[in-house]
Amino acid sequence: MRLGAGLGIKPQHFCDALAARDAGLWYEVHPENYLADGGPRRAWLRRLREEHPLSLHGVSLSLAGPDTPDAAHLQALAALTRELEPALVSEHLAWSRLNGVYLPDLLPVPRTRATLERLCANIGRVQDALGRAIAIEHPAHYLVLPHEMDEAEFLHEMVRASGCRLLIDVNNVYVGARNLGYDAAAWLDAIDGDAVAEVHLAGHSADPLLGERLLVDSHDCAVAEPVWALYTRLIARIGARPTLIERDGEVPELAGLLAERTRAQAVLDETEACA
Amino acid sequence: MSHFDYAGFAAALCGEGDAGGLAAQPGFAVYRNTVISGCVDALIANHPSLATLMGEAWLANCARAFARDNPSRDARLMLYGAGFAAFAGEMPGADAWPWLGQVGAIDYGWLQSHLAADAVPAAALATLAADMPLAPHPAARWFWSERWPLWQLWSSARAGQTPAHLHWQGEGILLSRPAGEVQACVVPQEVCVLLDALAAGQGLQQAVAVVLATVAAPDFTRLMQLLAGAGALVSYQE
């Protein structure tokens, strides 16, 4: 089955999600929420996998951190990957672990040669453990950091050196461009389409204190129109790619998310029809 | 900058230092807020009965204090908070609720039961006389208090209700997964004593002897029914 537009799945939607039969539909989960020894969560995920393609989108391997990925966590992720045989596996270009402590966020790093070397080594460790290539999602930007490399150059070098793919989050691009003052369309145009394995779409919100001067990748509302425009432009250039609607806060009924997902599927269908 | 100061960045997330000036940028607050709220939200979500009993604002203050000294070492925040219930029970404002830590510990036990390994429960016990190779099921968790009505307190708070019309007596709770999802039932002391003994590696006959030495007039018929119905035991030689 060819992957079209998918949804980040929430426990409250499990039953409806299982029954949904939209063409091209797939689901994405954070594996951290399912790395249990047993029990109903894991059983439900197995059941979902019987009906739909799955993607495992990790948030905690800390690939850009100073340490190697937590060995026990990686072993558990490898076991889950073997069990579910997901269509996609992805992680973030970020760090979240230091001296054994887990910091629950996707923290930033400067794009330096040293960062790139550590990152690629860690991606290699994960790919070796999982026995497959993974996709890496670039971050949303909130800080001016002392970067040495342009972002597209950094990402392409990461793909070349590690053998990973790219997960392009169009909302991250939009948020970062607005916060730091660069051109989101030009950023996307600079990305090698052949390297892109997956695309993410999500909503953002204005910072409660700073308003529109600081956008936050909040995942708590619908995808914004400028992000849809960027997405349509990206897909028209690189062709159809598995596309995910992410929603982590203020989660509506599944029908509302499926409607958003249908819009992404229409973009993919139109591109394929033109190809 | 070839070497990013990870430690300085992490310290600034906790309000210590300025991460080489990065903390002065408005966007730094996004990371600080996300890290703190990630810990606090997980602790509250993992202890719903404490949230009912004490309110989310009180519990959030408690969670911030706990997270400062007890950061998660596991990325699985669904298991974050071992020891949080006892910590909450020692917080200012909790002294009027001397059972708070014990009730919160049942929330954490529920998580452990929910995420524990699968195993086939032992068949119904026909007798306690044989030296059967039994152990608590991986998903079994049990709690007993001589003084406090743990079942009444926890089950009502878990349902989102402030406990009312309590019958103040010692009570026990058994959590297990006989049919996939976690189930809770009220149990007498002898159930908890027997499970304690089996968990410590004692054989069934020894465990029964411990019950007889600890509990006045234990009801073994009811004990057997409760354990079998809850699927709380496994036979480790089956």
Side-chain angles (χ1 to χ4, degrees):
Chain A
M1 175 180 164
R2 185 160 188 177
L3 300 183
L7 281 180
I9 190 67
K10 298 297 170 198
Q12 63 265 39
H13 295 153
F14 282 176
C15 292
D16 291 341
L18 194 64
R21 286 293 178 269
D22 305 59
L25 176 63
W26 53 282
Y27 294 115
E28 188 159 285
V29 298
H30 297 315
E32 290 79 5
N33 295 331
Y34 298 89
L35 294 180
D37 293 333
R41 289 192 192 203
R42 192 93 170 212
W44 180 85
L45 202 55
R46 284 195 297 269
R47 178 73 187 94
L48 189 68
R49 176 65 186 90
E50 290 172 7
E51 303 292 337
H52 297 281
L54 279 183
S55 166
L56 300 181
H57 183 51
V59 296
S60 66
L61 281 176
S62 195
L63 298 176
D67 306 321
T68 57
D70 180 81
H73 188 96
L74 186 54
Q75 190 176 17
L77 177 64
L80 186 69
T81 304
R82 283 194 300 273
E83 181 179 328
L84 296 173
E85 298 182 343
L88 298 163
V89 180
S90 54
E91 249 290 347
H92 291 82
L93 199 174
W95 64 284
S96 54
R97 180 173 288 280
L98 186 68
N99 299 327
V101 169
Y102 175 59
L103 301 160
D105 197 4
L106 301 166
L107 299 170
V109 284
R111 295 186 298 271
T112 66
R113 286 284 165 195
T115 300
L116 185 63
E117 192 173 323
R118 276 196 306 275
L119 173 65
C120 289
N122 280 338
I123 293 171
R125 291 182 178 98
V126 174
Q127 293 183 149
D128 287 348
L130 270 50
R132 60 189 290 167
I134 63 172
I136 299 296
E137 178 179 340
H138 58 95
H141 295 302
Y142 304 103
L143 293 177
V144 176
L145 293 167
H147 298 298
E148 292 175 355
M149 299 172 71
D150 167 79
E151 191 156 16
E153 176 194 8
F154 186 92
L155 294 175
H156 293 147
E157 188 68 17
M158 173 187 76
V159 168
R160 189 199 61 75
S162 72
C164 74
R165 309 288 304 284
L166 290 180
L167 192 170
I168 297 298
D169 187 314
V170 182
N171 188 59
N172 283 1
V173 177
Y174 181 78
V175 165
R178 282 284 303 271
N179 288 341
L180 302 190
Y182 53 84
D183 184 333
W187 191 103
L188 286 167
D189 287 349
I191 295 298
D192 175 11
D194 290 341
V196 179
E198 183 183 348
V199 177
H200 275 187
L201 298 171
H204 58 261
S205 54
D207 181 80
L209 296 177
L210 297 171
E212 295 288 327
R213 288 166 50 205
L214 183 69
L215 298 183
V216 180
D217 178 35
S218 52
H219 294 196
D220 61 354
C221 54
V223 178
E225 287 305 320
V227 174
W228 279 115
L230 289 167
Y231 170 66
T232 304
R233 176 190 167 106
L234 173 70
I235 294 301
R237 180 175 70 83
I238 70 172
R241 292 291 188 281
T243 299
L244 183 86
I245 304 290
E246 291 182 293
R247 188 68 172 260
D248 295 315
E250 305 295 328
V251 180
E253 295 295 312
L254 184 67
L257 294 175
L258 284 172
E260 235 185 339
R261 174 259 165 215
T262 298
R263 183 171 175 181
Q265 185 66 52
V267 173
L268 297 174
D269 291 344
E270 186 175 329
T271 300
E272 293 201 315
C274 293
Chain B
M1 183 198 286
S2 296
H3 299 287
F4 180 58
D5 182 7
Y6 290 95
F9 195 98
L13 292 172
C14 301
E16 298 166 15
D18 70 351
L22 294 177
Q25 295 186 39
F28 191 84
V30 175
Y31 300 108
R32 182 187 291 133
N33 295 341
T34 304
V35 168
I36 293 170
S37 68
C39 297
V40 169
D41 292 352
L43 289 168
I44 293 175
N46 292 348
H47 296 83
S49 73
L50 291 186
T52 299
L53 292 166
M54 305 304 286
E56 287 209 7
W58 185 90
L59 197 61
N61 281 333
C62 186
R64 274 189 284 274
F66 179 84
R68 267 197 303 273
D69 297 332
N70 306 275
S72 181
R73 305 186 79 81
D74 191 331
R76 299 173 304 165
L77 291 179
M78 60 187 180
L79 271 168
Y80 181 38
F84 177 63
F87 181 88
E90 300 295 321
M91 284 289 283
D95 41 341
W97 315 85
W99 34 262
L100 194 70
Q102 285 176 275
V103 172
I106 301 171
D107 278 341
Y108 197 79
W110 187 96
L111 285 175
Q112 293 177 308
S113 177
H114 177 65
L115 300 169
D118 301 315
V120 177
L125 307 179
T127 174
L128 291 174
D131 195 14
M132 301 168 69
L134 293 172
H137 189 282
R141 297 292 183 279
W142 56 95
F143 304 86
W144 167 256
S145 172
E146 290 278 0
R147 294 184 64 190
W148 310 117
L150 293 183
W151 164 256
Q152 296 172 67
L153 290 162
W154 181 81
S155 58
S156 58
R158 191 81 181 183
Q161 297 164 351
T162 304
H165 310 299
L166 294 171
H167 183 47
W168 290 98
Q169 61 181 12
E171 273 179 355
I173 287 188
L174 173 62
L175 305 173
S176 61
R177 285 199 332 241
E181 301 292 340
V182 178
Q183 294 183 15
C185 62
V186 59
V187 291
Q189 184 185 11
E190 49 263 42
V191 169
C192 298
V193 173
L194 186 94
L195 288 168
D196 281 340
L198 292 175
Q202 300 196 44
L204 182 59
Q205 287 180 327
Q206 292 171 297
V208 168
V210 173
V211 171
L212 287 167
T214 309
V215 182
D219 182 345
F220 282 108
T221 302
R222 187 174 172 216
L223 177 150
M224 290 161 61
Q225 289 170 344
L226 283 167
L227 291 176
L233 298 173
V234 290
S235 175
Y236 53 79
Q237 287 183 358
E238 279 183 356

